[in-house]
Amino acid sequence: MILEVKDLSYRYKTGRTIFHDVSFGIQEGEILSILGPNGAGKSTLLNCIANLLRPQSGQILLEGVPMERMGVEEIARVVGYVPQSHHPAYDYTVRDFVVMGRAPYIGLFSKPSQEDYDMAEEALERLGIQRLAHKPYTQISGGERQQVTIARVLVQRPKLILLDEPTSHLDYGNQIRTVNMIRRLSEEGFALILTTHTPDHVIMLGSRVGMLDYDGGMTFGSVEETMTEERLSRMYKLPLKVRYIEEIHRKACFAPNLD
């Protein structure tokens, strides 16, 4: 098991509980999609797993080791994180920004090797954004930054990749390409956890889903069994439907009327 989350709870300093008693695990090659409305705590949960926030209770284990016993570099060799947005302070080129993903493997006073740069070039090519290699990271669009940050995580070579709404800044074509990329990464053995607002992306990815409600509870299970019309309608406060569409050979989620 790459990741085990046991009875995790988090609340703000104001006392409001965001989520409570969350438990799940994920193995190599698995995808877990976390679905929920705005403000339900999806990003907060990822930030806890990424060691950016400390939960109020519960435990996170990486390959059986409690996270609190691990150093930053040890965690970075297991967990890679693609945040929802990233705003750098310096005008690094995209190529240099991506090669920073190799930091857990480069000594404190060492420089990236040619192999590190080759890995960065390969990741950019894989995402179809090699044209951006020599542009300043601060001068590319939000959608391009999202793809570049994914490239940086790929060169980090973690075992678990966390993606916080990875399609939020992308046009429709790049959304579908990103969903397909996530499926390919799982086939290569990466474990992936992503947050999303789009039920259709969860259906396309299949595997498992965690549905996070406003009350802080989380329901886990297979996409087929867990993403019911009743749960989705209750979550989004709309009469949503889930139907099999013959033309696309899969189910889709939609609102039948716009009133």
Side-chain angles (χ1 to χ4, degrees), residues 135-195:
K135 288 189 175 183
Y137 182 77
T138 53
Q139 295 178 26
I140 60 177
S141 71
E144 289 170 334
R145 286 186 191 180
Q146 190 85 332
Q147 293 174 294
V148 168
T149 307
I150 292 172
R152 186 175 71 165
V153 166
L154 291 180
V155 304
Q156 187 180 325
R157 292 290 195 269
K159 297 178 180 180
L160 168 65
I161 300 177
L162 310 176
L163 302 110
D164 193 8
E165 296 187 33
T167 61
S168 61
H169 299 292
L170 304 179
D171 61 46
Y172 187 71
N174 280 321
Q175 286 183 33
I176 302 304
R177 292 184 190 97
T178 298
V179 170
N180 285 331
M181 180 201 68
I182 290 169
R183 293 183 67 174
R184 289 196 302 271
L185 289 173
S186 75
E187 291 167 1
E188 292 174 19
F190 290 97
L192 300 109
I193 302 176
L194 66 141
T195 64

Side-chain angles (χ1 to χ4, degrees), residues 84-156:
Q84 202 172 135
S85 58
H86 184 269
H87 303 286
Y90 302 103
D91 275 340
Y92 297 112
T93 66
V94 164
R95 180 171 176 261
D96 286 337
F97 178 78
V98 172
V99 88
M100 289 177 191
R102 298 297 298 160
Y105 307 95
I106 300 172
L108 184 61
F109 299 106
S110 301
K111 294 181 179 180
S113 66
Q114 185 58 50
E115 182 182 0
D116 295 322
Y117 279 106
D118 289 344
M119 290 174 69
E121 297 281 359
E122 180 186 339
L124 290 171
E125 185 174 351
R126 180 177 187 173
L127 293 173
I129 52 173
Q130 61 269 43
R131 69 187 185 283
L132 302 176
H134 300 291
K135 288 189 175 183
Y137 182 77
T138 53
Q139 295 178 26
I140 60 177
S141 71
E144 289 170 334
R145 286 186 191 180
Q146 190 85 332
Q147 293 174 294
V148 168
T149 307
I150 292 172
R152 186 175 71 165
V153 166
L154 291 180
V155 304
Q156 187 180 325

Side-chain angles (χ1 to χ4, degrees), residues 31-36 199 202-203 206-213 217-236 240 242 251 253:
I31 301 171
L32 174 64
S33 303
I34 299 176
L35 190 66
V202 180
I203 293 170
S207 196
R208 298 164 61 211
V209 63
M211 298 183 69
L212 186 59
D213 293 320
M218 204 162 187
T219 303
F220 289 94
S222 69
V223 171
E224 185 72 23
E225 296 176 354
T226 307
M227 280 183 55
T228 63
E229 290 181 353
E230 180 184 356
R231 283 200 179 101
L232 288 166
S233 297
R234 186 169 62 245
M235 174 178 285
Y236 293 111
L240 300 177
V242 179
K251 288 184 177 181
C253 176

Side-chain angles (χ1 to χ4, degrees), residues 52-67:
L52 299 175
L53 291 175
R54 186 179 296 275
Q56 264 61 52
S57 60
Q59 193 173 41
I60 300 171
L61 294 91
L62 299 177
E63 299 187 302
V65 180
M67 183 180 280

